[in-house]
Amino acid sequence: MSLLSHTFHNAEWLQKSGMVAAIVLLICSLVCLPVNAAVPSVNDSSGFGLTDIEKFFDEAVPVGLAKYNIPGATVSAVQDGELVFTKGYGYSDIAGKSPVISDETLFHIGSITKLFTWTSIMQLVEDGVIDLDADVNIYLRDFSIPDTYPGEPITMRDLMTHSAGFEDSEVHMSVADADDLYSFRVYCRDNIPARVYPPGTVTSYSNYGTALAAVIIEDVTGTPYKSYVTDNILHPLGMNDTVISYPLSPEYDVLTSSGYHFEGGKNVAVPDTVFTIGPAGTISSTATDMAKFISVHMENGTWHGAEILSGDTAALMHSPAFSNDPRVSSMCLGFYETRLNGERFISHGGDTDTFHSLIAINPDKKAGFFVSYNSPGGNQARNDLMMAFADNYWLAEEGADETLSESESSLQKYAGTYQSTRHNYRTFEYYISPPDQTEVIAGDNNSIYMLRGGNPPAEYTAVAPGVFALSGGEKSFSGNLVFREDENGNVEFMCLENIPVFAFERVDWYETTPFTDWVANMGLILILTALIWPVMAECRRTYGNADGNSVMSDTDEPEKENGQKSLCDALPFYARLTAGTASILFIVFIIFIIPSVVGSGEIIISYAEGMTVPAALAAALTVSLIASLLSVIAALFIIPVWTKRWWSLWQRVHYTIVVIGLLMLVWWVNYWNLFVFRL
């Protein structure tokens, strides 16, 4: 999930991206009348008046729709625990010209679903059923989490702060159709991710961790997750238009917004992702229902006579619980902090393929909002909206960050390659979905440069030791860059000030993309020279010595005088046969097999969504395993090649070069998890 904000595109970009469609969406959004609940008077001291809030959203939301080519959005705003504004903008169904109606149209809220799971967990903590700091294995009935780090078990606090240390994985997280769905309990049992960091080391956003917490809810209560959330959250709050699982009933199908992709200059309706990890991302709701959920958390657990959490428990849930660095925003117990203009928000985003949502609460000012968009552009639009919200009501005083003088040599400690902690580490998924790497370069004038995703270098200036702000005073939703050092003063993580759900781990030189690409290319070049062996052997068989007498080729098996072949004498032949076979397998695997597999959407989708590994994929990754085993055997032949002085000197050197190439490729396929047992 990307939470980085983006600057507004200029008018020329808008024109190129479909100005006509954008203007139509803008007009449609403006004419959709708000559907407001009865609105109580608003505390004037807050500066958050009804007229102002309507004016704000009526200006800000259509801008986002037009800028990012989004068909529709739904919004609700809450002040002092009461709904003060709600409205739908644009279309929920373009073909049917159906407008978004904020108290009727359901939007998929994605990972905001997690807050319902975490609220349920806090209820059980309050009841003494779950201990935040106990090993989660004591609550699981059907399976357990491996004890990868003895003495450092994963706790519920680790799950809630996304600091359990799990690798990320999207395999089996979704299915092609709702008819193929199976229990999230089965998903959690059969897809336990590797533990790649000790718990409490660093955050890495984990859908698995939330689904695992839902399994625990069922195990400790004996109640299905859906029933528990319905009885303990939805019904008490009167959230009658909220659906926990996919809207399968006809009435909810009609009321649910379509999701769209902007393709070929127009929005095209596409099916949304169907998740198996229900408690982590499958709720659909209306803006007015989500306002009730905001209200009860804004009011510390009690709203309109319904208490779902005690005040102390709600305060604990909303308080900082883990931070990647004291200088960055914290994870709360489920919520995460976002700090804008000196104001602290507790928030959570939600992303599916086509829906992008945000819930944001300012606990001190008791104000907040919910927004959901029905196309991928909402990923950026929601961040723009939140920044505009903070700017409109709590604009910080203008002033540039103070700069800190750092020498070029001290800036070098931050230079290097970084990648997100949220990625797969131990399976084939790492190869097909590698983490994007970010390069940090030390510059002049107290600055560093960040190169990421092919974008132009972004310049940052030191404002405190290990803290860098965008040069020129430009504002960014993600905030400053903060570098975390270990006890020896070595930089180990780069953090984004306002993105506490993951960090960027520093990558060793041998893990950088240029180096791994070099290893593959150089290894291929070296083993390609092995193809000269059969050519040379055939030449010797055909032409013999210069005197016309046939001679034994270096690859022919020698024979004794009686014609019987000696095993010891035949070893040079088998050495080259082994190395040559491994070389051919690697050449075919890297140049032909892997590109074909990765380029086959059918195979990759089957791997990601199917319950069994595709036979073609298993066969492909068996080739690399056989090639690697033969390469190890070929490497063992190096000893007699040199001690027994097989062949001439240059032939021994050439054999060694080929083996070096083979071992380079063994390292490469192992690094990228290209073995059948890594599926």
Side-chain angles (χ1 to χ4, degrees):
M1 174 176 69
S2 173
L3 298 178
L4 301 179
S5 62
H6 292 259
T7 57
F8 284 157
H9 294 172
N10 57 30
E12 182 180 357
W13 178 93
L14 184 61
Q15 190 173 34
K16 292 179 179 179
S17 300
M19 178 176 285
V20 174
I23 293 174
V24 170
L25 285 173
L26 178 60
I27 294 172
C28 291
S29 301
L30 291 173
V31 300
C32 288
L33 296 176
V35 182
N36 290 321
V39 180
S41 60
V42 179
N43 186 345
D44 292 337
S45 64
S46 70
F48 197 66
L50 174 61
T51 302
D52 288 343
I53 197 66
E54 182 173 4
K55 179 175 182 291
F56 167 73
F57 282 115
D58 277 351
E59 291 177 354
V61 176
V63 167
L65 297 184
K67 176 184 174 184
Y68 297 111
N69 300 298
I70 305 169
T74 190
V75 175
S76 58
V78 174
Q79 172 77 52
D80 295 323
E82 299 296 339
L83 178 70
V84 293
F85 176 77
T86 183
K87 187 173 182 178
Y89 296 86
Y91 288 115
S92 64
D93 177 14
I94 295 176
K97 293 183 169 51
S98 301
V100 175
I101 302 174
S102 62
D103 64 349
E104 294 182 8
T105 308
L106 277 71
F107 277 60
H108 299 170
I109 66 171
S111 287
I112 297 177
T113 301
K114 292 179 173 66
L115 292 179
F116 291 81
T117 302
W118 299 133
T119 301
S120 300
I121 288 291
M122 292 306 291
Q123 290 175 338
L124 296 172
V125 169
E126 182 177 307
D127 293 341
V129 178
I130 290 177
D131 183 340
L132 286 172
D133 299 306
D135 184 347
V136 295
N137 280 330
I138 69 174
Y139 303 116
L140 293 168
R141 293 184 320 195
D142 302 339
F143 59 94
S144 62
I145 304 302
D147 188 22
T148 306
Y149 300 97
E152 298 184 74
I154 292 173
T155 67
M156 186 60 70
R157 188 185 301 273
D158 297 325
L159 296 181
M160 298 183 77
T161 58
H162 296 279
S163 61
F166 287 129
E167 70 174 347
D168 192 41
S169 177
E170 294 186 6
V171 172
H172 301 147
M173 201 174 76
S174 62
V175 292
D177 187 86
D179 292 337
D180 301 325
L181 277 172
Y182 52 92
S183 166
F184 64 84
R185 175 183 293 273
V186 172
Y187 166 82
C188 287
R189 183 196 66 197
D190 296 346
N191 296 276
I192 300 175
R195 296 177 61 186
V196 294
Y197 280 107
T201 300
V202 66
T203 58
S204 176
Y205 191 79
S206 176
N207 288 302
Y208 180 89
T210 309
L212 183 67
V215 173
I216 291 173
I217 290 172
E218 293 190 340
D219 284 350
V220 300
T221 65
T223 303
Y225 170 83
K226 181 177 178 180
S227 298
Y228 183 92
V229 172
T230 299
D231 294 342
N232 293 278
I233 299 177
L234 301 188
H235 281 173
L237 297 179
M239 296 180 68
N240 300 322
D241 294 319
T242 296
V243 182
I244 295 176
S245 56
Y246 292 98
L248 301 179
S249 60
E251 61 270 27
Y252 280 128
D253 276 338
V254 171
L255 293 173
T256 302
S257 172
S258 297
Y260 293 88
H261 284 176
F262 189 73
E263 301 172 352
K266 64 179 181 179
N267 279 291
V268 179
V270 296
D272 199 19
T273 310
V274 180
F275 290 115
T276 56
I277 50 167
T282 60
I283 283 181
S284 299
S285 189
T286 62
T288 47
D289 261 15
M290 290 305 298
K292 298 173 183 178
F293 188 73
I294 290 175
S295 296
V296 75
H297 276 283
M298 187 179 289
E299 294 297 301
N300 284 325
T302 301
W303 180 74
H304 286 195
E307 180 180 305
I308 65 169
L309 294 173
S310 70
D312 289 342
T313 303
L316 176 63
M317 184 178 183
H318 301 159
S319 298
F322 180 85
S323 175
N324 288 319
D325 187 278
R327 299 164 294 180
V328 303
S329 296
S330 297
M331 284 299 308
C332 305
L333 293 175
F335 287 93
Y336 44 79
E337 287 185 327
T338 304
R339 296 183 181 272
L340 296 170
N341 297 345
E343 297 290 328
R344 175 182 181 265
F345 294 84
I346 56 173
S347 58
H348 207 292
D351 299 280
T352 67
D353 179 46
T354 56
F355 290 85
H356 298 270
S357 310
L358 177 68
I359 185 173
I361 302 171
N362 183 328
D364 294 335
K365 300 298 192 296
K366 299 186 73 174
F369 71 92
F370 164 80
V371 65
S372 186
Y373 300 89
N374 58 7
S375 85
N379 193 24
Q380 289 77 37
R382 66 182 178 192
N383 295 339
D384 291 351
L385 184 65
M386 187 169 181
M387 290 182 69
F389 186 75
D391 286 346
N392 192 67
Y393 294 103
W394 304 287
L395 184 60
E397 293 184 7
E398 293 292 334
D401 290 321
E402 294 184 6
T403 59
L404 175 74
S405 178
E406 292 228 27
S407 65
E408 186 176 347
S409 59
S410 66
L411 290 175
Q412 285 295 336
K413 72 186 294 184
Y414 308 116
T417 303
Y418 299 82
Q419 63 189 18
S420 170
T421 53
R422 188 188 179 190
H423 68 86
N424 188 267
Y425 288 78
R426 305 287 172 80
T427 73
F428 174 64
E429 186 178 349
Y430 181 54
Y431 180 76
I432 61 175
S433 184
D436 291 331
Q437 294 190 339
T438 298
E439 190 76 17
V440 173
I441 301 172
D444 300 325
N445 302 321
N446 204 36
S447 296
I448 60 173
Y449 294 89
M450 184 172 74
L451 289 76
R452 188 180 186 201
N455 296 317
E459 182 181 7
Y460 288 79
T461 303
V463 295
V467 181
F468 294 80
L470 272 172
S471 300
E474 183 181 351
K475 293 182 66 173
S476 167
F477 181 83
S478 57
N480 294 338
L481 295 183
V482 178
F483 291 88
R484 170 176 144 186
E485 301 176 11
D486 61 18
E487 61 275 9
N488 299 318
N490 300 314
V491 174
E492 55 180 352
F493 294 104
M494 177 177 71
C495 308
L496 298 175
E497 182 183 23
N498 252 348
I499 312 294
V501 294
F502 64 88
F504 294 87
E505 57 194 0
R506 194 166 194 169
V507 175
D508 289 322
W509 59 270
Y510 58 84
E511 296 177 299
T512 62
T513 300
F515 179 78
T516 57
D517 288 348
W518 178 85
V519 168
N521 292 331
M522 184 56 66
L524 280 173
I525 290 171
L526 296 182
I527 68 172
L528 279 168
T529 65
L531 298 180
I532 198 175
W533 291 338
V535 175
M536 292 175 61
E538 185 61 30
C539 288
R540 290 190 180 95
R541 288 191 185 94
T542 303
Y543 301 108
N545 275 338
D547 59 6
N549 295 322
S550 177
V551 297
M552 182 186 71
S553 134
D554 291 310
T555 56
D556 285 338
E557 295 182 67
E559 297 184 5
K560 292 183 177 181
E561 291 183 0
N562 61 4
Q564 295 297 314
K565 297 175 182 177
S566 164
L567 178 61
C568 291
D569 291 339
L571 286 178
F573 166 80
Y574 289 119
R576 278 184 169 166
L577 179 64
T578 302
T581 303
S583 298
I584 292 172
L585 289 176
F586 267 133
I587 292 168
V588 172
F589 178 76
I590 295 173
I591 296 179
F592 300 105
I593 295 179
I594 275 296
S596 297
V597 168
V598 174
S600 171
E602 182 178 352
I603 292 176
I604 297 303
I605 291 174
S606 178
Y607 166 69
E609 298 180 348
M611 296 294 287
T612 58
V613 174
L617 178 58
L621 298 192
T622 300
V623 173
S624 61
L625 178 60
I626 295 172
S628 297
L629 293 174
L630 291 175
S631 297
V632 172
I633 296 172
L636 295 176
F637 275 118
I638 288 286
I639 298 173
V641 161
W642 286 96
T643 58
K644 302 296 184 180
R645 296 185 176 227
W646 293 349
W647 316 308
S648 64
L649 177 60
W650 81 265
Q651 290 169 330
R652 295 199 298 272
V653 170
H654 180 235
Y655 180 86
T656 303
I657 289 173
V658 171
V659 169
I660 290 172
L662 288 172
L663 295 180
M664 291 173 71
L665 295 179
V666 170
W667 179 89
W668 185 81
V669 296
N670 179 68
Y671 175 81
W672 287 111
N673 302 322
L674 297 176
F675 291 127
V676 65
F677 55 83
R678 298 276 180 82
L679 288 170

